[in-house]
Amino acid sequence: MNENLKILIADDSELMRMVMKGFFKKFLLSPEILETSNLPDAFEVLEKQNFDFLLLDINMPRGDSNPNTVKEVLKKQPHIKICMFTGNDKATLERSYLEAGAVGFIQKDENMGTSLEEVLKRIFN
């Protein structure tokens, strides 16, 4: 997989950020990983820096992500790959986010690592 990818993890759970950061370090060579815990902070960071990949939680304090959020991020950074990350029901929501431009949808469950690895292999190989 690619080296030195810039990753932004936007999730309100410190535990989830830590777990996913570990997976990124396992699956990628020398990733640069930044973290935010809410949507406004994520947008602030996206205004200042370009990223290769955004792992975006749907439900966060100070604003939930929706398909329009994906479109808004892609307007600012057309080349970023956005993967949704949520405890919400994947079957109900996945299609609308993918149609908006997300490249993946990861359910917060015991298969998160495998799911992330599959998304990363598909988009960066």
Side-chain angles (χ1 to χ4, degrees):
M1 287 194 200
N2 292 4
E3 291 184 51
N4 305 313
L5 292 174
K6 283 188 73 170
I7 311 291
L8 177 60
I9 301 173
D11 192 295
D12 59 310
S13 166
E14 184 176 352
L15 176 61
M16 283 295 139
R17 291 193 312 269
M18 183 177 70
V19 168
M20 296 312 283
K21 190 174 186 176
F23 284 132
F24 279 113
K25 288 181 177 183
K26 178 179 178 182
F27 302 137
L28 299 171
L29 293 172
S30 306
E32 180 183 338
I33 303 171
L34 277 75
E35 305 172 33
T36 63
S37 61
N38 61 63
L39 198 55
D41 287 353
F43 272 102
E44 187 176 318
V45 171
L46 289 164
E47 288 288 334
K48 295 176 182 174
Q49 298 181 50
N50 288 323
F51 288 86
D52 298 297
F53 191 90
L54 168 61
L55 186 66
L56 182 60
D57 188 11
I58 291 178
N59 300 113
M60 290 188 285
R62 299 179 54 205
D64 291 341
S65 303
N66 60 53
N68 287 330
T69 308
V70 173
K71 292 176 184 177
E72 196 175 329
V73 170
L74 289 170
K75 281 182 189 172
K76 296 176 186 309
Q77 295 195 26
H79 301 293
I80 196 170
K81 305 300 183 203
I82 303 169
C83 182
M84 305 314 297
F85 185 53
T86 186
N88 294 342
D89 183 46
K90 181 177 180 176
T92 305
L93 298 173
E94 181 176 27
R95 184 176 180 170
S96 62
Y97 284 91
L98 296 179
E99 288 174 351
V103 298
F105 196 103
I106 297 174
Q107 185 86 38
K108 291 181 181 178
D109 61 19
E110 68 275 1
N111 300 315
M112 295 180 308
T114 303
S115 298
L116 178 63
E117 184 177 24
E118 289 170 2
V119 169
L120 292 173
K121 282 182 178 178
R122 183 169 38 85
I123 61 174
F124 290 121
N125 279 342

